[in-house]
Amino acid sequence: MPPHLVNYRANLRRLADLGAQRVMAINAVGGITERFGPRVLAVPDQIIDYTWGRLSTICEEPGTPVLHVDFGDPYTQSLRTALLGAAWKSGISIVDGGCYGATQGPRLESRAEIARLRRDGCDLVGMTGMPEAGLAREMGLDYACIALVANWAAGCGAPGDDPTAVEITLAEVLANVEAATASLPRLLESLLAE
């Protein structure tokens, strides 16, 4: 299913109806800045929404009260802290912070688009971070994201690389996601033990 067609509202509503109070999203992303190379795990602290046309609020239907929620810190700090603590306690390397740029997809971004995201302060780029984070806030759910870096974003790379010569392949992305997810069961066990 392409990211712009995911029913984020229904998914979060179902979790809330089942009694969930905290949501930990796992997002595969591209790395833009040096700290966020392939196979890195990160817990971002900011997000910029570049998506369009997605249902981005629970206030869409006629008669629904309009909510003006504070979104200055889009991820719940207590849940971010718990995720980081569980990773460190388990000996899992994880990056604290970073800005996630949420793009429309499903295609990957051009080098020019990634250059704009970098100028805007984005460290990571992905397609599923919004509107989920905003909807969770409207629904009163604690929300945080673990970003699994699947590849360097277009035009990006490690120091010394020629990023214009690198083509992103599905095989590379899948291998990096598999490697990055290997430590998630340990992280979740540690988180749940708290």
Side-chain angles (χ1 to χ4, degrees), residues 35-36 40-46 77 80-81 84-85 88 93-99 123:
R35 295 188 309 157
F36 301 95
V40 164
L41 296 178
V43 180
D45 59 353
Q46 283 295 316
Q77 185 58 44
R80 286 187 70 257
T81 300
L84 293 166
W88 293 326
S93 179
I94 197 160
V95 177
D96 178 6
C99 183
D123 300 292

Side-chain angles (χ1 to χ4, degrees), residues 121-139:
C122 295
D123 300 292
L124 304 161
V125 59
M127 302 172 193
T128 55
M130 286 296 287
E132 191 171 79
L135 290 165
R137 180 63 51 89
E138 287 184 351
M139 293 180 187

Side-chain angles (χ1 to χ4, degrees), residues 99-122:
C99 183
Y100 180 129
T103 58
Q104 187 69 5
R107 68 163 176 81
L108 299 178
E109 302 73 28
S110 70
R111 286 195 308 268
E113 289 169 324
I114 293 299
R116 180 186 74 163
L117 269 64
R118 183 190 297 268
R119 284 191 305 272
D120 287 352
C122 295

Side-chain angles (χ1 to χ4, degrees), residues 37-60:
R39 302 184 179 194
V40 164
L41 296 178
V43 180
D45 59 353
Q46 283 295 316
I47 195 164
I48 299 176
D49 187 4
Y50 298 95
T51 65
W52 47 270
R54 300 178 182 194
L55 291 177
S56 61
T57 180
I58 60 173
C59 308
E60 294 279 340

